[in-house]
Amino acid sequence: MARKFFVGGNWKCNGTTEEVKKIVSTLNDAQVPSSDVVEVVVSPPFVFLPLVKSTLRPDFHVAAQNCWVKKGGAFTGEVSAEMLVNLDIPWVILGHSERRSLLNESNEFVGDKVAYALSRGLKVIACVGETLEQREAGSTVEVVAAQTKAIAACVSNWADVVLAYEPVWAIGTGKVASPAQAQEVHYELRKWLQENTSPEVAATTRIIYGGSVNGANCKELAAKPDVDGFLVGWGFSKAGVH
């Protein structure tokens, strides 16, 4: 079964109301293949979720950039999965490298977050990726396998999970993994899924790439057999959709 191509836009901690309105207008006017060919999901900051949800074209979907690991309560500053469901937000990004590194989110914590979000009915973009030091040490596959293992330990149904490989050294740096480098890691991730979950999960789970993707390199990356889409940072929105 062919895997539907997936394009996610992570706006990170950026934007004003006016900028967000302009981006949504650009997206609404974009010429994009039908939703049975390409799935498009945009992820604005929490404060803009209702605005984007209410004004974005209906064939595009909205994701939050994070959610809490359990039900809401005395967790100041957090947003619960239940709140996202209440706002009719279908997707959430979890385990992004910025949260892993800046906020010390462990592999196990990310796995628990993924499990809880799925249990509340959200779909999850689960992120994995290595640092430059880890790549140069030759431990890329070991690192992303450990990150994926912690997620897989908490997931019984992969139908609502997209795996995003984002080499940390290529995020926002202008550096990009070559198509061959991206394909190599995506292949190893799919191989890991086949050996540790099931052949069906490996064949159907979408593995997308993030890390300085742009209009100049996206076609060659997309042509690789195990690259099923992209998770693109704020710059994609500022430049428009290609």
Side-chain angles (χ1 to χ4, degrees), residues 204-218:
T204 57
T205 298
R206 289 174 290 181
I207 305 175
I208 63 176
Y209 173 78
S212 298
V213 177
N214 57 48
N217 60 32
C218 63

Side-chain angles (χ1 to χ4, degrees), residues 2 10-11 24 85 100 102 138 152 155 157 161-162 200 210 212-213 221 240:
N10 177 13
W11 301 3
V24 170
V85 171
R100 290 179 184 266
L102 298 175
V155 175
N157 181 4
V161 178
V162 168
E200 181 184 8
S212 298
V213 177
L221 284 163

Side-chain angles (χ1 to χ4, degrees), residues 184-197:
E184 178 185 12
V185 179
H186 283 229
Y187 170 83
E188 292 293 342
L189 283 168
R190 204 173 302 285
K191 179 181 173 184
W192 190 96
L193 289 174
Q194 177 156 344
E195 294 173 350
N196 295 277
T197 58

Side-chain angles (χ1 to χ4, degrees), residues 23-112:
I23 294 167
V24 170
S25 177
T26 299
L27 291 167
N28 287 345
D29 292 340
Q31 298 295 313
V32 179
S34 66
S35 57
D36 59 341
V37 176
V38 176
E39 189 165 9
V40 178
V41 176
V42 298
S43 187
F46 283 123
V47 294
F48 298 124
L49 285 173
L51 171 61
V52 175
K53 174 72 178 175
S54 65
T55 55
L56 188 67
R57 56 197 282 179
D59 55 329
F60 288 4
H61 298 291
V62 181
Q65 295 177 16
N66 180 48
C67 67
W68 184 231
V69 70
K70 59 178 82 171
K71 190 175 181 179
F75 307 108
T76 300
E78 288 293 340
V79 172
S80 70
E82 288 84 357
M83 292 174 182
L84 299 179
V85 171
N86 181 249
L87 289 177
D88 200 26
I89 304 298
W91 285 89
V92 63
I93 298 171
L94 295 174
H96 193 280
S97 65
E98 289 157 3
R99 298 193 63 86
R100 290 179 184 266
S101 61
L102 298 175
L103 298 170
N104 298 315
E105 292 193 0
S106 68
N107 292 349
E108 291 71 28
F109 188 61
V110 172
D112 288 341

